[in-house]
Amino acid sequence: MLLERESQLAALAEYLDEVRNGRGRMVLVNGPAGIGKSALVEHFASGSAARVLRGVCDGAVPARPMGPLTDIADALGPHIAEQLRGYPDVLMLNSAVLSALGEEPTILVVEDAHWADEATLDMLRYLGRRLRDAPVLILVTFRSDEIGPDHLLTLVLGDLASCATTVRLAVPALTRSAVEQWVREVGATVDVDVLFQRTEGNAFFIGELLAADTDRLPPGLRDAVLSRAARLSPPGRTVLDAVAVLGRSDADLVLATAATRPTGLEECLHGGLLVSTDRLVDFRHDLARQVIVDALSLATATDLAERALAWLDAHTCTDERLMATMAERARDADAILVHAPRAGRQAAQWGAHAEAAQHLRAAARHRSRLPDRDQAQLLEELSVECHLIGLLEEALECSRAALDLHRSAGDAPGVGVALRWCSRISWLMGRTREAHEYGNEAVRILEMIPAGEPLAMAFSNMSQLCMLAGDAAGAITWGRRAISLGTDVGADEVVMHAQTNIGTALSSSGHLDEGRALLEASLDRGLEDGAHEHTARTYNNLVTATLSDHLVVDARDYLAAGIGYCLKRDLDTWRLNMEAMAAEVDLITGDWDQALGRCRAVLETRGSSSGRATALLVLGTIGIRRGDPDATNHLDEALSLASRGRVPGVAVPVATVRAEAAWISDRPRSVQTEIDRAWQAAGETMNGWWIGALAWWSALSNGPRKASPVAPPFDLMLAGRWSEAATLWERTGDPFWHAITLAGSDDPAHARTAFELLVKLGASATLRAAAREWERRGVPVPRGRRPTPVESHGLTARELEVLHLLCEGLSNQEIAHALVLAPKTVGHHVSAVLQKLDAPSRARATARARQLGIVSPESEPPI
C-alpha cells in the first residue's frame, strides 16, 4: 500500500475500534473520480474481522431506488428482503435496517453516493442520526467534484454535519514519489514525470495508463481504455459493449445481450476491464464504462438494448426500473409506456421522487399513443412528482395539460381535481390570484356532480388559501363546509386538514383559545391515525398560534414535542420550520446567540421558504439591533420569500423591524413609510402584538396612530404607564421590549435598568438610539460598559464572527456559506480584520487574536 494511504487506514482503524466498543460511526470518504476512494475502503474492509456488507449506487439513470439496500438485503435477514419486494413503510424499514446492522459489529460500505436515489439518501440520513449506540461503521464514498450546492447529497451532508458520529475523510491525489513507487513496484518502464503530469496523481488514471501496455504512454484516459479494449477478441468486445449499455448486471443477462459464449466474458474479467461479484458483472470503474459508452454507435447501443429487453421480458423480469431503462435505450415506445409508469410508481412509493419523475417523463414523451384518460393520469402523476422535487413550473404545465385532456373527455370529476391541484401549485409559485381562481372553479365544477371527497378537499383548499392570506372569515367558512362534507363521506384526512386551517385562522385573528382547542383536536386525531405529515403540520401551526400571542412557554412545549416527532420520522421540512420558530422564541427571550446558531443551521439545510423566511427575519432583527450592516439584506430576502405567497406572517414583521431600524438611525419619515406598508395588513389580521409594535414605533416618530386590538403591554406603553408595561414584559420573558419600555420613561432608575438589559443583549445600535433619546429629553444617560462596534480592538460584531471562523481555518467561500453572505462581502470583512489587527496574513491574524484574548484556543464562533 502506498504511503499516502497509511494515515487514512489508521484513522479508519480507530473508528472501527470505537465500533467494537459499541459506538457507531459514519465516515464520508470523498475525493475526485478515480482518486482511490473505493480502493482505500476495499483494502481496509478486506483486512477486518468485522462483518462487511457492500452496497452500490450505480450510474444508471434513473437510479435504482434503495439500490445499496437491495444489494445487502439477503445478508440482513429475510424480513428485510421481504419488505423490499413489497411496498413497505419506509420509516419502519429504515428502523429494521438499523436493528439488523447492529446485531453484530458491522462495516457497511455504500459506494458512489453521488448517484444515490432520494430514498437511499433518506436512509443514510436516518442511520447517521441514530448510529451512536450501534456497533456499525458506515463508509460512504462519493465524488466531491460532482456535487454542487443544490445536489441532494450536499443537503444530506449538511443535515449530518451536526451529528457527533459523522466525520469526513478526504482522499488526496498521489504525490510524485508515490507514483514513482508504483511504477517501480509494477516494473514499468515509463517516464514518471510525464505519467504524474498527465494523471495529476489520480490513482485510477495511473492504473489505466500503466495497463495500456504500449511502447508509449497514451495521451489520456480515453486512449488508454480504448487501447485495452482494442486488444479484445470480437466476442470479448461485444461483452464489454453490453455491460456498458446494461450497467452492473447479472452474468446471464450480459451473455444473452452480447449473444456470445462465456469465453468472451472470461476474457474481459481476466484482463481486468470487468469485475464480477456474486455473478454481478461491472466495469472496474465507471470512468472506463463511460469511455466505452461514448465510443458506441447509436445502432449498436440500440441493438444491445433490444436484445436485453427481449431476454428480460422472456424471463418475466420484475425489475421495472431495468425494464424501463432498456426500453428507453431500445427506443421501444410501446415498452416504455408499459414499464416506465410502473417504475415511476415504484420509485415514488420508496420516496425516490427524482427517479420517479424521470421514468414518468420518459413515458409522457410517448403519451399521444394513449387514450386521453390515461394520458391525463400519467401527466397528473408526473405533476405530483415534479412538485415534490421543486420543479413547480413543470408541475403546473403537466397539470394544465391534464386539465385540458379531462375537459376534452368531458370528465367533470377529473376537471375538478385537476383545477384544485393547479390551485395548489399556483399558490406555491406565488401566483395567489391564479390559485384562488383555480380553486373557485374547482368548487364550481365539483358542485355540479354528486358530492364526495374531491369536493370536500376543494373546500379545504379554499380554506387554506384564505388562511394563508390572513382572511380568517373565509378560512372558517370554507373549512366548516369541508368538515361537514368530509364527515358525511368519511374523508378523515380532509377533515383533519380543514380543522387545522380553521384552528390556525381563529388563533391568528384574536380567538386563540377556540383556535387552539380545534388545533389540538386535529393533532390528537392525527397522532391516533398515524398521519405523519398532517401531525407535523398541526404541531407547526400550534407553535405559530401561540407565538403570535407571545405565549412563549406554550410555544416551547409544542416545539419540543413537534421537533421530536419530526426527528423520529425524518420530516425535515416541518422540523426546519419549527427550528426557525425556535429561533424566534430565542429572539423573544433574549438568547440571541442561540437564535443566530439555529437560523444558520436552517439556512444551511434544505427547507421550505416559510422556514427560511422566518430564519432570515430573526437574523435581520438581531442584526438591526446589534448594528450589523448585513441585516437589511436578510430582511430583503425574507420579504422576497414572503411576498411570493402574500404571507402577512412575515411581511408585517419585516416592515416592523424596518421601522425599528429607521428609528435607530433617526429617520422618522422612513419609520412612517415602513409602517404604511404593513398597517392595513396588520389590522386585517387582528393581531394585537403586531398592531401594538407598529403603533409604538409610529408614536416614537411623531405619528401616533389609533387601532385595535393592541396587546396589553403596548397599550400601557402608549399610555405612558412605564412600570406597569415593564412588569408585563418581564412576565412575558421578553428582555428587549422590557428595555424599550423603560427607555421611554424619564426616570433615571428606569434608564439604568434599560441600559443594563440592552448591554446584556449586545444591542449596541438600539442602545445608541436610546442614549440619543435620553439626551433629547434631558434624562441622564447611564454610564458603564457598552456593546459598541469598536469593542475587541475595533472589530465589529460581524468582523468578530468572521475572525472566529478564520481561526477555524475556513476559506472565504466556507465563511460565506456559514454566515449566509456573498463571498465578495466576506473578502471585505477579512481585509478589515487583517487591517485592524495589523496582521499581514490570515495565519498572523489568528495568532494575534489569540494573543489579545479576542479568541481563545478552545472558543467557538459566536453564532
Side-chain angles (χ1 to χ4, degrees):
M1 192 66 185
L2 298 174
L3 294 176
E4 272 81 353
R5 301 296 186 252
E6 291 181 359
S7 62
Q8 278 116 2
L9 287 171
L12 292 175
E14 289 181 11
Y15 299 139
L16 185 57
D17 286 340
E18 293 182 21
V19 166
R20 291 193 181 100
N21 292 325
R23 184 185 179 194
R25 277 283 190 180
M26 177 177 283
V27 183
L28 307 170
V29 184
N30 62 94
I35 205 70
K37 303 179 293 296
S38 297
L40 172 71
V41 169
E42 179 62 28
H43 184 84
F44 168 74
S46 63
S48 171
R51 175 176 64 163
V52 178
L53 304 175
R54 181 174 181 269
V56 178
C57 307
D58 52 48
V61 179
R64 295 181 300 156
M66 283 289 196
L69 181 57
T70 303
D71 292 339
I72 65 171
D74 290 336
L76 292 178
H79 59 297
I80 300 294
E82 184 63 31
Q83 287 191 68
L84 279 172
R85 282 190 283 271
Y87 292 97
D89 180 308
V90 176
L91 184 66
M92 293 179 62
L93 175 64
N94 287 339
S95 177
V97 169
L98 179 59
S99 178
L101 286 172
E103 289 177 356
E104 61 180 282
T106 300
I107 297 174
L108 170 61
V109 179
V110 178
E111 290 272 21
D112 295 323
H114 51 278
W115 285 324
D117 64 286
E118 194 172 355
T120 296
L121 292 176
D122 285 342
M123 180 184 73
L124 290 176
R125 183 191 289 111
Y126 180 95
L127 296 175
R129 288 171 172 170
R130 296 162 176 82
L131 268 181
R132 182 184 307 184
D133 300 321
V136 181
L137 175 63
I138 301 180
L139 305 178
V140 181
T141 71
F142 66 92
R143 296 181 186 175
S144 54
D145 56 343
E146 291 198 14
I147 62 169
D150 297 326
H151 196 286
L152 284 177
L153 178 58
T154 300
L155 302 174
V156 173
L157 297 179
D159 291 343
L160 293 174
S162 60
C163 296
T165 54
T166 302
V167 293
R168 287 203 187 202
L169 183 66
V171 179
L174 299 177
T175 63
R176 186 197 176 283
S177 61
V179 175
E180 184 177 15
Q181 178 188 343
W182 190 344
V183 170
R184 189 167 54 249
E185 288 176 355
V186 300
T189 55
V190 299
D191 188 320
V192 174
D193 289 324
V194 172
L195 180 61
F196 179 65
Q197 181 180 18
R198 287 185 183 171
T199 62
E200 297 181 341
N202 184 292
F204 178 72
F205 294 0
I206 293 168
E208 288 300 307
L209 265 59
L210 290 177
D213 194 25
T214 61
D215 294 336
R216 299 171 58 189
L217 280 174
L221 174 67
R222 179 179 184 278
D223 299 288
V225 173
L226 292 178
S227 173
R228 297 180 67 191
R231 296 199 297 272
L232 293 170
S233 66
R237 180 55 192 263
T238 305
V239 166
L240 196 69
D241 292 346
V243 178
V245 169
L246 291 167
R248 184 165 168 264
S249 298
D250 179 83
D252 290 339
L253 173 58
V254 170
L255 292 174
T257 301
T260 188
R261 300 176 66 82
T263 52
L265 175 57
E266 292 168 2
E267 181 185 6
C268 293
L269 295 171
H270 180 73
L273 281 163
L274 298 177
V275 293
S276 177
T277 306
D278 298 330
R279 289 196 57 79
L280 291 175
V281 180
D282 200 0
F283 278 82
R284 193 162 59 87
H285 199 288
D286 187 72
L287 291 171
R289 184 192 72 83
Q290 194 58 53
V291 168
I292 300 301
V293 166
D294 291 343
L296 285 176
S297 68
L298 178 61
T300 299
T302 302
D303 181 57
L304 290 168
E306 286 175 349
R307 289 188 215 166
L309 184 62
W311 188 88
L312 291 167
D313 191 47
H315 287 75
T316 322
C317 175
T318 58
D319 186 344
E320 292 294 347
R321 181 205 66 85
L322 181 57
M323 295 287 286
T325 302
M326 288 304 104
E328 179 77 3
R329 292 177 184 173
R331 300 171 182 271
D332 186 332
D334 291 333
I336 291 170
L337 288 170
V338 170
H339 298 292
R342 293 177 184 171
R345 289 163 198 146
Q346 285 182 348
Q349 183 71 31
W350 281 106
H353 300 295
E355 287 69 31
Q358 286 177 293
H359 286 301
L360 294 169
R361 201 177 285 122
R365 285 193 287 268
H366 304 280
R367 69 178 187 272
S368 60
R369 305 164 75 95
L370 296 172
D372 285 357
R373 188 180 297 273
D374 293 341
Q375 287 190 55
Q377 180 183 348
L378 181 61
L379 288 166
E380 285 168 345
E381 292 180 36
L382 178 55
S383 178
V384 170
E385 298 307 314
C386 288
H387 150 258
L388 290 172
I389 59 177
L391 300 178
L392 297 181
E393 288 281 1
E394 185 177 354
L396 185 57
E397 181 182 344
C398 291
S399 194
R400 284 171 171 168
L403 174 60
D404 290 341
L405 287 164
H406 284 305
R407 279 180 166 151
S408 297
D411 178 8
V415 169
V417 171
L419 284 166
R420 197 261 303 166
W421 185 244
C422 284
S423 172
R424 178 63 181 159
I425 299 298
S426 296
W427 183 84
L428 290 172
M429 296 174 70
R431 302 176 181 177
T432 52
R433 182 181 59 80
E434 291 179 26
H436 281 268
E437 289 174 355
Y438 279 127
N440 278 309
E441 189 179 357
V443 170
R444 182 179 64 79
I445 294 294
L446 291 170
E447 283 183 326
M448 297 168 64
I449 60 177
E453 183 172 344
L455 179 57
M457 192 62 224
F459 288 157
S460 193
N461 174 66
M462 291 303 300
S463 173
Q464 185 176 25
L465 289 174
C466 291
M467 180 266 290
L468 291 167
D471 177 6
I476 293 166
T477 299
W478 284 111
R480 286 174 176 164
R481 293 180 70 183
I483 290 172
S484 176
L485 178 56
T487 302
D488 290 343
V489 300
D492 290 344
E493 289 197 12
V494 176
V495 171
M496 288 187 288
H497 189 270
Q499 280 183 324
T500 300
N501 295 336
I502 295 175
T504 305
L506 286 167
S507 300
S508 63
S509 60
H511 304 279
L512 180 62
D513 290 341
E514 186 181 354
R516 280 180 69 178
L518 197 56
L519 284 169
E520 288 182 341
S522 182
L523 176 65
D524 289 343
R525 193 166 186 170
L527 289 167
E528 183 178 343
D529 292 352
H532 296 167
E533 286 285 342
H534 166 78
T535 300
R537 176 185 178 232
T538 310
Y539 270 126
N540 181 92
N541 289 19
L542 276 164
V543 175
T544 301
T546 48
L547 266 184
S548 70
D549 211 39
H550 264 56
L551 298 175
V552 174
V553 174
D554 292 346
R556 275 187 168 147
D557 288 342
Y558 289 130
L559 282 167
I563 290 173
Y565 183 90
C566 292
L567 275 172
K568 289 179 182 177
R569 294 158 182 81
D570 284 346
L571 298 168
D572 285 335
T573 297
W574 291 112
R575 176 183 64 82
L576 289 167
N577 273 3
M578 285 186 273
E579 291 282 6
M581 288 190 285
E584 196 174 354
V585 170
D586 292 334
L587 169 66
I588 292 170
T589 58
D591 197 346
W592 290 2
D593 290 338
Q594 179 166 292
L596 293 173
R598 288 188 198 270
C599 290
R600 293 193 177 111
V602 170
L603 296 173
E604 288 172 6
T605 316
R606 63 176 171 174
S608 70
S609 58
S610 174
R612 288 187 63 83
T614 300
L616 288 163
L617 172 61
V618 172
L619 274 179
T621 302
I622 295 173
I624 289 295
R625 295 169 182 176
R626 286 183 168 178
D628 184 348
D630 298 309
T632 53
N633 294 334
H634 297 320
L635 294 175
D636 287 345
E637 187 178 349
L639 187 60
S640 174
L641 288 168
S643 297
R644 294 176 194 170
R646 307 290 194 273
V647 185
V650 173
V652 172
V654 165
T656 305
V657 177
R658 282 181 160 168
E660 179 182 338
W663 171 77
I664 286 173
S665 57
D666 202 17
R667 294 179 291 114
R669 287 187 180 178
S670 296
V671 172
Q672 300 303 330
T673 299
E674 295 297 342
I675 291 172
D676 286 341
R677 298 179 194 275
W679 188 253
Q680 181 177 347
E684 289 172 354
T685 66
M686 302 293 288
N687 186 307
W689 299 88
W690 289 355
I691 295 169
L694 288 170
W696 173 252
W697 297 122
S698 186
L700 283 191
S701 303
N702 301 316
R705 303 183 186 213
K706 292 184 178 181
S708 64
V710 174
F714 287 113
D715 201 25
L716 292 169
M717 290 167 68
L718 292 166
R721 295 160 65 180
W722 311 115
S723 295
E724 295 170 73
T727 298
L728 287 184
W729 284 119
E730 192 170 17
R731 288 176 185 167
T732 302
D734 192 325
F736 176 79
W737 279 103
H738 185 190
I740 291 296
T741 300
L742 294 177
S745 168
D746 290 341
D747 185 336
H750 285 167
R752 164 56 63 181
T753 303
F755 178 92
E756 291 171 352
L757 287 168
L758 292 173
V759 166
K760 187 176 181 179
L761 291 168
S764 55
T766 305
L767 182 53
R768 289 194 299 277
R772 178 191 72 219
E773 298 300 322
W774 285 325
E775 288 175 351
R776 286 176 178 172
R777 301 200 311 266
V779 178
V781 178
R783 301 297 174 189
R785 179 180 176 275
R786 299 188 187 190
T788 68
V790 293
E791 280 188 335
S792 300
H793 300 269
L795 297 173
T796 67
R798 177 63 84 192
E799 288 163 0
L800 280 171
E801 290 182 318
V802 170
L803 175 59
H804 276 84
L805 296 174
L806 282 176
C807 292
E808 287 192 352
L810 272 63
S811 67
N812 283 14
Q813 189 72 33
E814 290 169 326
I815 293 172
H817 182 67
L819 297 181
V820 200
L821 299 174
K824 186 175 181 180
T825 302
V826 171
H828 293 321
H829 287 314
V830 170
S831 297
V833 168
L834 298 183
Q835 182 180 4
K836 291 179 181 180
L837 294 183
D838 193 23
S841 67
R842 298 159 74 100
R844 292 286 295 276
T846 297
R848 180 150 177 74
R850 288 183 172 133
Q851 289 171 1
L852 295 171
I854 303 172
V855 177
S856 64
E858 297 81 19
S859 68
E860 294 291 332
I863 59 175

